[in-house]
Amino acid sequence: MMRLKDIATALRAELVGDGELIVHAINHPAAAGPDDLALAMEAEALGALAESPARAAILPASSIVPSRLAGALHVEHPRYALATLTRLFAERPRLPAGIHPTAVIDPTAEIALPTAIGPFVQVGARAYIGPGATILGQVTVGAEARIGADALIYPGVRIGDRVRIGARVILHNNASLGADGFSFAIPEPGGRPPAGEPPISRIASLGTVVLGDDVEVGANSCIDRGTIEATTIGNGTKIDNLVMIGHNNKIGRSCLIAGRVGISGSCRIGDRVILAGGAGVADHVVIGDDPVILAAAQVGSSRIAPGAVVLGMPAVAKEKFFEQVRLQNRLKHLFADVAALKARLQPAGTEADGD
Amino acid sequence: MMRLKDIATALRAELVGDGELIVHAINHPAAAGPDDLALAMEAEALGALAESPARAAILPASSIVPSRLAGALHVEHPRYALATLTRLFAERPRLPAGIHPTAVIDPTAEIALPTAIGPFVQVGARAYIGPGATILGQVTVGAEARIGADALIYPGVRIGDRVRIGARVILHNNASLGADGFSFAIPEPGGRPPAGEPPISRIASLGTVVLGDDVEVGANSCIDRGTIEATTIGNGTKIDNLVMIGHNNKIGRSCLIAGRVGISGSCRIGDRVILAGGAGVADHVVIGDDPVILAAAQVGSSRIAPGAVVLGMPAVAKEKFFEQVRLQNRLKHLFADVAALKARLQPAGTEADGD
Amino acid sequence: MMRLKDIATALRAELVGDGELIVHAINHPAAAGPDDLALAMEAEALGALAESPARAAILPASSIVPSRLAGALHVEHPRYALATLTRLFAERPRLPAGIHPTAVIDPTAEIALPTAIGPFVQVGARAYIGPGATILGQVTVGAEARIGADALIYPGVRIGDRVRIGARVILHNNASLGADGFSFAIPEPGGRPPAGEPPISRIASLGTVVLGDDVEVGANSCIDRGTIEATTIGNGTKIDNLVMIGHNNKIGRSCLIAGRVGISGSCRIGDRVILAGGAGVADHVVIGDDPVILAAAQVGSSRIAPGAVVLGMPAVAKEKFFEQVRLQNRLKHLFADVAALKARLQPAGTEADGD
């Protein structure tokens, strides 16, 4: 429940009308009640506003305020406004302060105050949990792991031994940090292992995982530990659900890694890289700053230009990808044209070439 | 253990021979013992029946019953018969009635009877669990979540605050319902955030997840909550393992969504849609009723015709996809033909064009 | 902490210099301290050795030992040496012997000694856990499941009823073994179910999952139970994170299955098969021994030759795939050539063909 003028301040938005108006929730105009703030920043929602009982709305800059509204806010950047607004109304999952009596905390672990540790949480020897962290139920924190201040860790997250996590990190349900890397010595394809060696010889993972500040890891995602050094994720990088980040990767700051992406191993990925859903990066690939790897693209080499937008398998510049699609769509005609040309140049009575 | 005539009734199958015969289990003819019912509905299995000690078998309609059998059932629709038959012999995971003493149930939660709640389950404030639900060990049920009657929830499932689940829903190991959507305000590619804003500004998820009746969600799959409204899954839709369903999606009834599919966010998907393994749908895509999106297809636009069968990246009609593959397989010949035509038309002595 | 000569023995490596030298850890030359063993088996690391304070190093066979080193080891097979070496220095996750008092063990379960079972583990009726197994916290072991000797099971793993697991198996965080297969009876596309049947009729999974010895399953991966028989994984097969292995698959020995791979169902896969990241196999496909299915390849038929290396969608031989890419890259020129040929043969004054 907030006053319209306080929302205006938080959003740095222009207030029109009654700033004392109290709104209880935010909602699409079609779903909003009279006490809701209607979100009408996009054309479709703006249209729905005419039928809405809402008495307050958020509108694009310089749009006309319907006279039926008691108050309105004008915003310049709808997505950023939505970000601020949703955070104003969001509720952090409720967990009472303190350590739940069912939690199993090693006596050598250090838990800074304030803390909120839920049921069935397990914290290993010499682990450290920073002040203000919230650890919901059924989380595992390994020996000597470190969790930064104000982290929010959802149920079922597994944090391996020695994993280090920055401040304000959010880890979603059942994410895995610090499983062993998928690393084996095997013979060359078709060859045999050296004498005395098994066909598949396991390379153990002595390294760890290090997450910077403000990193977010989605549900059921996995970040494996490095072989000798750490797998690292830079400050502010956000990772969606079901993402696989293999061992030894070094990923930069403020990247966005969408659902089902896979980054094989030993890659170096720059800052502000965007990887869309299902994209894949082969091992040992180096990617610079600012490219956008579009959905399902497969990056097999280190030749992505900084800031490039790529697509396809193998990934190429987006324009080239769609040019190829257009050419392929005309292939049938090209075959027909060539057949016609051949027929025309074919001396009468000779046999056609097979193709 | 069942009598053959009772199985015949359940399957609406024609019974031949001794209906009083007792069978203990169902099995492939090659693996069946004398007390098993041999599954011989397919040609390969029918062949193996000759060598089987089984005395009872299920056969395709109008096939000849080997004289060695004491009883047999004729069925019209083998897959539907298999469905009924496996359900007759399936054992629901065993869990004693009542609430396990280790479970942590908020006193304001409402648990309808009968109930079976396993070890280390956590149920939040004002949550509701319907009658006949079975919640196996280590499940998390968030505050104000609602679980319908007769739901079956496997270990490690995470159900977030306010998530609503219909009757007879089955949720498999470690599925995540109600993690936050992957939603951020970011600058245009190559641009900068507005003054005073961080490069990546988190959009919180105030919405929830709503699953209809008879929905099934596979192991380690994720369904994220909506930003403002709910992410919804219609009645009877079945979702396989490791599926990613992003925020704000509205998915229809009786869909089949196979393993590793990703549906980005804010999509509207009709009824009876089939998405095969690894398929992907970009955000804001609208898909009507009845299409089949084949394995690994990437749907980036809303132009899929109702009932279409599509394949490829970008997804096109299956026939077109395979036509393109055939044309591409002949490209080498086409290049050779064109080179030959050029050579023939090239006046002697001039230089060849580079390409 | 180890003596250099003991490491030499374990690696069957040639020792140069002081075998009594004690090393505390292994490290890249750039990160190594004076008590570390520097790993300089690759050219880049060998270069960094010049600046390293390390007094001992591992070098490729027959490379020159810098005079600054007190001791060195020469190895023939760097990856196999790394495997042995990392295992020498690896620490198995620490868990005290015995059964943690919070674990819930059914009285009919059989736990062989020695054992180490962590907090909040749940073991079902008549389950068997072999000697030397380590089961970290929050694991679920179903009724009648069997776990082999010396298995190592990480937190959050779900092992369903009747699942059987071999000796020395390693299961990583939150893996799911034995969820139900994704199997339904449905009408033909566009058709209707038989009279009296629902549109989607669930086929229950009566089978189980059987893992051979020395199998490894990555974090958040899923192996579903078979419909009637077992889904089986052969000895020594290693499976990475977020892998989906559907019901009824029979997978051979010593396979390597990388992250995000999906194997739909009812496939038969040979020995020593390599599936790279994100590859997919359609259902009922048969694959022989020794092929390499490269990243993101989609195998839709059983026509992969033994030992083949395939790529693309649909998967073809790697050489053919890259030839197709090269031809496609020249398509624009081909269209131009054909247009030029048509223009040249076009009698002056006639209209051009549309294409």
Side-chain angles (χ1 to χ4, degrees), chain C residues 116-300:
Chain C
I117 295 184
F120 313 121
V121 169
Q122 184 185 351
V123 179
R126 291 174 303 285
Y128 170 81
I129 296 178
T134 297
I135 301 185
L136 296 164
Q138 319 224 23
V139 167
T140 315
V141 179
E144 295 172 31
R146 286 186 69 84
I147 295 177
D150 299 312
L152 172 57
I153 304 183
Y154 280 89
V157 170
R158 311 301 168 191
I159 299 169
D161 292 353
R162 302 186 316 280
V163 169
R164 300 202 306 275
I165 292 172
R168 297 172 303 280
V169 162
I170 301 175
L171 306 178
H172 288 282
N173 297 329
N174 294 339
S176 163
L177 273 64
D180 288 345
F182 192 69
S183 185
F184 302 92
I186 57 167
E188 292 295 301
R192 299 179 163 281
E197 295 284 356
I200 298 184
S201 188
R202 187 172 201 272
I203 296 175
S205 294
L206 310 182
T208 187
V209 172
V210 177
L211 265 53
D213 297 333
D214 300 298
V215 168
E216 187 161 345
V217 180
N220 284 322
S221 285
C222 302
I223 307 178
D224 280 357
R225 54 176 78 244
T227 306
I228 305 291
E229 302 179 0
T231 303
T232 61
I233 312 289
N235 292 346
T237 284
K238 314 294 188 185
I239 299 170
D240 197 358
N241 301 343
L242 293 167
V243 170
M244 163 62 185
I245 297 185
H247 60 286
N248 297 344
N249 286 305
K250 306 281 183 194
I251 297 180
R253 299 173 174 224
S254 299
C255 296
L256 286 175
I257 303 180
R260 303 184 306 136
V261 162
I263 302 179
S264 305
S266 302
C267 297
R268 286 177 195 257
I269 299 198
D271 296 336
R272 297 172 303 280
V273 177
I274 296 176
L275 287 141
V281 182
D283 54 356
H284 290 92
V285 165
V286 177
I287 296 179
D289 295 339
D290 295 302
V292 180
I293 318 295
L294 291 171
Q298 300 297 321
V299 179

Side-chain angles (χ1 to χ4, degrees), chain A residues 102 120 126 158 174 176 184 187 193-194 201-202 204 220 224 244 260 262 320 323-324 328 337 344, chain C residues 79-80 83 86-87 90 94 119-120 138 173-174 216 220 238 240-242 260 328-329 332 342 345:
Chain A
T102 59
F120 313 123
R126 292 174 302 285
R158 312 301 169 191
N174 294 339
S176 164
F184 301 92
S201 186
R202 186 172 201 272
N220 284 322
D224 280 357
M244 163 60 185
R260 303 184 308 135
K320 181 173 170 188
E323 179 186 68
Q324 295 289 88
Q328 282 171 35
D337 283 351
R344 201 152 146 187
Chain C
R79 293 278 295 175
Y80 281 94
T86 54
R87 292 200 306 267
R94 278 154 285 193
F120 313 121
Q138 319 224 23
N173 297 329
N174 294 339
E216 187 161 345
N220 284 322
K238 314 294 188 185
D240 197 358
N241 301 343
L242 293 167
R260 303 184 306 136
Q328 282 172 34
N329 284 339
K332 202 157 87 167
K342 283 172 68 176
L345 289 173

Side-chain angles (χ1 to χ4, degrees), chain B residues 26-37:
Chain B
I26 54 178
N27 231 324
H28 187 277
D35 295 328
D36 289 350
L37 176 62

Side-chain angles (χ1 to χ4, degrees), chain B residues 79 86-87 216 241 260 345, chain C residues 184 202 204 224 260 344:
Chain B
R79 292 277 297 174
T86 54
R87 292 201 307 267
E216 186 161 346
N241 300 342
R260 304 183 305 135
L345 290 172
Chain C
F184 302 92
R202 187 172 201 272
D224 280 357
R260 303 184 306 136
R344 204 152 145 189

Side-chain angles (χ1 to χ4, degrees), chain B residues 26-320:
Chain B
I26 54 178
N27 231 324
H28 187 277
D35 295 328
D36 289 350
L37 176 62
L39 292 172
M41 296 181 285
E42 293 171 10
E44 174 270 337
L46 202 50
L49 190 59
E51 306 292 318
S52 175
R55 293 182 302 143
I58 302 205
L59 306 169
S62 78
S63 59
I64 292 161
V65 178
S67 60
R68 216 176 23 70
L69 293 181
L73 304 175
H74 277 141
V75 296
E76 293 279 351
H77 301 284
R79 292 277 297 174
Y80 281 94
L82 185 62
T84 302
L85 196 58
T86 54
R87 292 201 307 267
L88 287 177
F89 283 88
E91 295 177 47
R92 200 169 160 113
R94 280 153 284 193
L95 187 64
I99 298 176
H100 194 275
T102 60
V104 171
I105 314 285
D106 190 280
T108 63
E110 185 186 348
I111 317 280
L113 295 178
T115 194
I117 296 184
F120 313 122
V121 169
Q122 184 185 350
V123 179
R126 292 175 301 285
Y128 169 80
I129 296 177
T134 297
I135 302 185
L136 296 164
Q138 319 225 22
V139 167
T140 314
V141 179
E144 296 172 30
R146 286 186 70 83
I147 295 177
D150 299 311
L152 172 57
I153 304 183
Y154 280 88
V157 170
R158 312 301 168 190
I159 299 169
D161 292 353
R162 303 186 314 281
V163 169
R164 300 202 306 275
I165 292 172
R168 297 172 303 280
V169 161
I170 301 175
L171 307 178
H172 288 282
N173 297 327
N174 295 339
S176 164
L177 273 64
D180 289 346
F182 192 70
S183 184
F184 301 92
I186 57 167
E188 292 296 300
R192 299 179 164 282
E197 294 283 357
I200 298 184
S201 187
R202 186 172 201 272
I203 296 174
S205 294
L206 310 183
T208 187
V209 171
V210 177
L211 264 55
D213 296 333
D214 300 298
V215 168
E216 186 161 346
V217 180
N220 284 322
S221 285
C222 302
I223 306 178
D224 281 357
R225 55 176 78 243
T227 305
I228 304 291
E229 301 178 2
T231 303
T232 61
I233 312 289
N235 292 346
T237 285
K238 314 294 187 184
I239 299 170
D240 197 359
N241 300 342
L242 293 167
V243 169
M244 163 61 185
I245 297 185
H247 60 286
N248 296 346
N249 286 306
K250 307 280 183 193
I251 297 180
R253 298 171 174 227
S254 299
C255 296
L256 286 174
I257 303 179
R260 304 183 305 135
V261 162
I263 302 179
S264 304
S266 302
C267 296
R268 283 173 199 260
I269 298 197
D271 296 337
R272 296 172 304 280
V273 177
I274 297 177
L275 288 139
V281 181
D283 53 358
H284 291 92
V285 166
V286 177
I287 297 179
D289 295 340
D290 295 303
V292 179
I293 319 295
L294 291 171
Q298 300 297 320
V299 179
S301 80
S302 301
R303 272 166 283 159
I304 304 281
V309 180
V310 300
L311 187 57
M313 156 60 191
V316 295
K318 185 186 175 184
E319 296 70 27
K320 180 172 170 188

